[in-house]
Amino acid sequence: MIVAIDGPAGSGKSTVSRLLSARLGAVYLDSGAMYRTLALACMEEKVDTENEDAVLALFKSIDIDQKIVEGGQVVLLNGRDVSEAIRTLEITAAVPPIAAMPRIREQMRVCQRAFGEKAGDGMLVAEGRDMTTIVFADADVKFYLDASPMVRAQRRHNELKQKGVEVGIEELAREIERRDNSDIRREVGALKIAEDSVVIDTTGLGIDQVVDRLYEEVQSRRGR
Ligand code: DC
């Protein structure tokens, strides 16, 4: 069974998806982490992130993997733990041009579907921007999570603060707006709501409430 979850930055998607997959005993795919890892590889290898041929050649030469371990998620670049390195503001800013490249998205789709095969007959929870519309357009259950821009900026602020990084809410709100623009406007793999998605506004909801809501929906579809 495939559960696909999309939504904008700060919608609570990643946290909720991780908790949901743990509760379901599912394989978890954080597709954003793959884009982030490719951006990190470009920076490390000094590959021009505007040059699609060069980015694609690099992508095909590296190995990106991820797994859930006790205490969190581990993202690997050629076997090296880059879980922290891909979460910096610098990487966040470097991803959008890469995520807008059609051949990169095509190759990502192939890799993401291959990763999904790990679930076998079990469950997969895949989250990102185009999981419900393209990569797992045939998913059994689809969700679109959203929240008001201010709440999303506040959540990002809290997240960074926990890591000891102090960034003003206004700056984060601007960063989120920039990311929304590039996510929504790009020509391929744009963020949109799939027709058959269950849309959940997480603005006034706590994480557990959202996870419960998704879990119940998945369970009810399982019984069908
Ligand atoms: O979810 P996130 O913030 O970790 O995503 C990082 C970046 O990757 C963000 O700019 C959107 C992009 N992304 C994408 O284009 N398609 C996906 N399926 C997931 C993320």
Side-chain angles (χ1 to χ4, degrees), residues 13 31-33 35-36 87 95-96 99 105 128-131 179 183 186:
K13 205 171 24 96
S31 59
Y35 283 93
R36 287 173 178 274
R87 303 283 168 199
V95 180
R105 298 204 72 90
R129 305 293 189 287
D130 59 349
M131 298 296 103
R179 279 218 277 168
D183 279 340
R186 69 173 159 251

